[in-house]
Amino acid sequence: MATEEAGSALSFHPMDQFIVKPLFGDGPINWYTPTNVTLWMALAVVGIYLLLVVGTRGRAVIPTRMQSIAELAYGFVHKMVEDVTGKDGLRYFPYIFTLFMFIVFANFLGLLPRAFTPTSHIAVTAVLAMAVFLTVTILGFVKNGAAFLGLFWVSSAPLALRPVLALIELISYFVRPVSHSIRLAGNMMAGHAVIKVFAGFAAVAVISPLSIVAITAMYGLEILVSFIQAYVFTILTCVYLKDALHPHH
Amino acid sequence: MATTTHDAAGAAAGHAAESAGMPQLDFASFPNQIFWLVVTLVAIYWVLSRIALPRIGGVLADRQSAITGDLTAAEEFKLRAKEAEAAYERALVEARSDAQKIVGQARAEIQKDLDAATAHADAEIAARASESERRIGEIRAGAMEAVVAVAREAAADIVAAMGGKADAKAVAKAVDARLKG
């Protein structure tokens, strides 16, 4: 507001794109209110449906382009789960694939102009990360019983160091969901905010060419980041799952 | 530009007051986001596990089996080709040995004909040679007789010319003795 009162053309609202707004009217946001969150998550579902269901409806042995992409995504995550967690982790492949597809689609749809990015919200990523954390922890105890605690007892270290290491391991274990969620939300938020800041500079004629070049470059970087963050989130989920299935180092 | 941003800012102002500039920390929107996230995840999981994953997995398995089938078929064809090649090779060797045999036979036959012809020619040549020899002998003998006759006649004539009386027997004897001596 202060900038506008000063009469400057520069006005930055880089965070406005993250505001959760009701789709219809301007009422309060209840838990059931259809908001822009609903819209963009629904678009992600539609996108996933188009790619993985409509794209593969031919069931062709020689795939079409869309089917090829769907198979590529399937193979990518399937191989990741198998490589990181082993054969017994493949039971959880549908859950991990769901996470991956949701994050990838939310990230990429969020790159469209005027879009809303659900994955830039800590509320969303925290739920994802907590779901992974709780699932993995419960699964660890169910599969291994008390032996799951062996994850914190580094048997290869000298005996005197083990309690200290156990404490550190315990803390790092509980920090996992925090880093897991903030990494994704922070990356998405920062990239989008930076693009908006550059867009704000574009209003000044002198620096607008530079600003547009910078937006283009940032956009390219964000495309990379969108995929990499989905990949990182998914592979960390696999790593945590591996710890639950095979707690011994 | 200014008016549009003003609108956005105006709309944002209500929330901005409570979220202190960061919509991510506007806790009032959390239940809404979490609710819709759960709905979304369930929807995606349902679509994936019911339709997409079995289908893609099936397609991949089909392709794998098709590729494996094609590979074994190719292997079989290769084997067959190898067999055909071996058979061809065998036929070639057989044909070559046959040809060799035929050539040998032909050569032997030709040799035989040649030998026969050679023998025939040799015999003819020998016959002709003996014939000529005989004729040469006859001619030589004829010549000798003629020489003797001429010598006797000449000797008788010489004797007559000397004024003697040529006794034909004595002249012949004398000439024969001279011819021998």
Side-chain angles (χ1 to χ4, degrees):
Chain A
M1 292 307 188
T3 52
E4 281 188 5
E5 278 165 32
S8 165
L10 286 178
S11 57
F12 296 116
H13 302 287
M15 305 307 272
D16 283 3
Q17 58 178 321
F18 301 120
I19 293 169
V20 176
K21 293 187 279 268
L23 278 182
F24 313 106
D26 199 16
I29 297 168
N30 292 313
W31 62 268
Y32 52 83
T33 315
T35 55
N36 47 358
V37 180
T38 319
L39 173 67
W40 288 95
M41 285 186 182
L43 286 176
V45 175
V46 169
I48 292 169
Y49 185 86
L50 286 177
L51 176 64
L52 294 182
V53 176
V54 179
T56 62
R57 71 189 182 287
R59 290 184 178 84
V61 172
I62 298 161
T64 58
R65 289 178 201 184
M66 282 295 271
Q67 192 185 326
S68 219
I69 296 170
E71 285 171 7
L72 215 62
Y74 180 100
F76 178 69
V77 178
H78 196 268
K79 191 170 181 315
M80 195 197 302
V81 174
E82 194 176 348
D83 286 354
V84 176
T85 66
K87 284 268 182 214
D88 48 350
L90 284 180
R91 279 185 55 199
Y92 309 99
F93 167 63
Y95 302 100
I96 292 171
F97 197 46
T98 303
L99 277 181
F100 176 75
M101 289 314 286
F102 171 71
I103 296 170
V104 147
F105 267 84
N107 286 357
F108 274 103
L109 287 173
L111 281 177
L112 296 173
R114 308 195 65 84
F116 174 82
T117 319
T119 41
S120 67
H121 273 261
I122 193 73
V124 170
T125 59
V127 168
L128 295 175
M130 280 311 290
V132 170
F133 178 75
L134 290 177
T135 310
V136 160
T137 308
I138 292 166
L139 200 68
F141 278 113
V142 168
K143 288 260 172 187
N144 304 289
F148 181 58
L149 293 172
L151 185 63
F152 308 111
W153 198 249
V154 187
S155 49
S156 57
L159 193 59
L161 276 178
R162 284 184 205 172
V164 184
L165 284 176
L167 189 65
I168 294 171
E169 289 276 332
L170 200 66
I171 292 170
S172 82
Y173 188 81
F174 281 100
V175 170
R176 274 178 181 183
V178 179
S179 65
H180 205 187
S181 56
I182 289 179
R183 182 182 301 113
L184 176 58
N187 268 290
M188 297 320 295
M189 187 186 78
H192 285 72
V194 167
I195 288 179
K196 268 290 160 71
V197 169
F198 281 128
F201 276 119
V204 182
V206 183
I207 44 176
S208 69
L210 187 70
S211 153
I212 288 166
V213 168
I215 290 172
T216 313
M218 276 308 294
Y219 198 88
L221 182 69
E222 279 307 293
I223 289 173
L224 190 71
V225 167
S226 289
F227 179 75
I228 286 177
Q229 286 307 318
Y231 173 69
V232 165
F233 194 97
T234 316
I235 203 158
L236 282 176
T237 305
C238 291
V239 169
Y240 299 162
L241 185 64
K242 188 210 78 182
D243 281 347
L245 297 176
H246 316 284
H248 306 289
H249 292 278
Chain B
M1 174 74 201
T3 50
T4 54
T5 50
H6 185 79
D7 286 347
H15 291 299
E18 57 203 78
S19 66
M22 204 154 153
Q24 276 84 353
L25 298 179
D26 177 10
F27 292 103
S29 70
F30 273 31
N32 181 272
Q33 294 195 54
I34 292 167
F35 168 68
W36 289 113
L37 173 67
V38 171
V39 170
T40 305
L41 289 181
V42 168
I44 295 174
Y45 177 74
W46 191 85
V47 168
L48 290 186
S49 63
R50 290 297 165 90
I51 312 172
L53 296 186
R55 185 185 288 177
I56 297 175
V59 167
L60 291 179
D62 281 358
R63 181 170 312 143
Q64 196 57 48
S65 68
I67 288 171
T68 319
D70 284 358
L71 279 182
T72 48
E75 198 66 37
E76 200 175 302
F77 282 132
K78 202 173 152 192
L79 216 66
R80 242 186 263 173
K82 223 167 237 177
E83 268 169 32
E85 200 190 339
Y88 164 77
E89 207 71 44
R90 226 178 304 125
L92 201 68
V93 167
E94 247 165 57
R96 199 167 281 160
S97 72
D98 278 1
Q100 211 78 34
K101 217 182 286 169
I102 289 166
V103 167
Q105 270 174 5
R107 189 173 289 156
E109 258 165 50
I110 290 168
Q111 194 64 47
K112 208 164 61 188
D113 286 357
L114 201 65
D115 284 352
T118 311
H120 184 74
D122 280 354
E124 199 152 299
I125 289 165
R128 293 246 181 104
S130 67
E131 169 80 14
S132 345
E133 214 147 300
R134 193 180 52 79
R135 297 250 307 266
I136 290 168
E138 265 171 28
I139 289 167
R140 192 174 284 160
M144 197 55 94
E145 264 166 42
V147 168
V148 171
V150 168
R152 280 176 189 168
E153 235 170 82
D157 283 351
I158 291 164
V159 170
M162 298 287 240
K165 176 85 164 101
D167 181 15
K169 264 188 187 167
V171 171
K173 222 175 184 174
V175 169
D176 283 352
R178 288 302 285 188
L179 278 171
K180 270 173 196 162

